[in-house]
Amino acid sequence: MGGVGAVPGAIVGGAGGAVLGTVWGSVSGFLSAATSETAGEAARNGAWSGTVAGTLGGVGAGVNAVRGIAAARQLSAAAETAAASRSALVPMSEAAYSTGTVRTVVGYEVGGTAGRVGDTYNMNIWGLYNTESSQGLSSLANALRSEAAASGASRISITGNAVINKGIQNLSPRAAARLGFEVEKVNPTTVILRGTAR
């Protein structure tokens, strides 16, 4: 990309500026010497003109080199930031906030994503909220299994992310089985329920 060629381009451009400044200094020095009245004046004018032009060419080279290095650093930093944002792992609960939806299922507000992969209907839930019309966890489990079956899936996997409800965090295998699921506790705030879709 542009960052790769910025530094070499600045060096070549700067060197070219120095060379052209030196050449211009020689030409202007020669012209100044040719129009001078005495040999001493010609020498002074030629040397001064050549020195100024060469110095300006060198300064231009330095400025171009610094600009090229600064541009390369900016491009490099931008590329690293872009690469990091594409490849950085983000906790599921954070990613779901920007991509999920909130919908009502048997009176519960459910926030997250859902979709079928192969024969499994996967739900990634980052929010589960009771409302006055919530019909109980058994009704919720049946509704989610029906949703999975309607998608053509034979299995369902529900991942609860950033779980703060102690009842769900401490869900026992026996209680999960009564709801028709097997439970896996990934960590203190992540629970996965797996079962068959009906």
Side-chain angles (χ1 to χ4, degrees):
M1 305 212 217
V4 174
V7 173
I11 292 169
V12 169
V19 169
L20 289 176
T22 303
V23 169
W24 176 248
S26 299
V27 170
S28 64
F30 175 76
L31 292 174
S32 179
T35 59
S36 298
E37 306 234 344
T38 66
E41 185 181 340
R44 270 193 316 277
N45 289 342
W48 183 83
S49 182
T51 302
V52 169
T55 301
L56 291 177
V59 168
V63 169
N64 284 340
V66 169
R67 284 181 182 162
I69 291 168
R73 285 184 179 160
Q74 287 175 339
L75 287 172
S76 177
E80 287 175 16
T81 301
S85 68
R86 284 191 307 270
S87 63
L89 293 177
V90 178
M92 178 72 81
S93 58
E94 289 178 28
Y97 285 117
S98 63
T99 60
T101 60
V102 177
R103 59 198 175 101
T104 303
V105 180
V106 294
Y108 289 91
E109 290 191 8
V110 180
T113 61
R116 193 179 96 192
V117 177
D119 67 343
T120 303
Y121 190 72
N122 296 296
M123 300 189 76
N124 295 304
I125 298 175
W126 50 260
L128 178 63
Y129 308 99
N130 281 331
T131 66
E132 289 182 17
S133 60
S134 296
Q135 298 176 21
L137 289 180
S138 180
S139 294
L140 179 62
N142 288 334
L144 295 178
R145 275 201 295 277
S146 294
E147 184 178 312
S151 77
S154 60
R155 306 219 16 95
I156 185 170
S157 175
I158 304 169
T159 302
N161 296 290
V163 176
I164 58 172
N165 182 303
K166 295 294 181 194
I168 295 175
Q169 284 177 343
N170 299 321
L171 186 65
S172 70
R174 184 187 290 184
R178 281 195 299 266
L179 296 171
F181 294 101
E182 297 173 356
V183 64
E184 176 187 350
K185 294 177 186 173
V186 176
N187 61 42
T189 62
T190 305
V191 175
I192 300 174
L193 299 172
R194 292 186 182 95
T196 58
R198 300 195 240 159

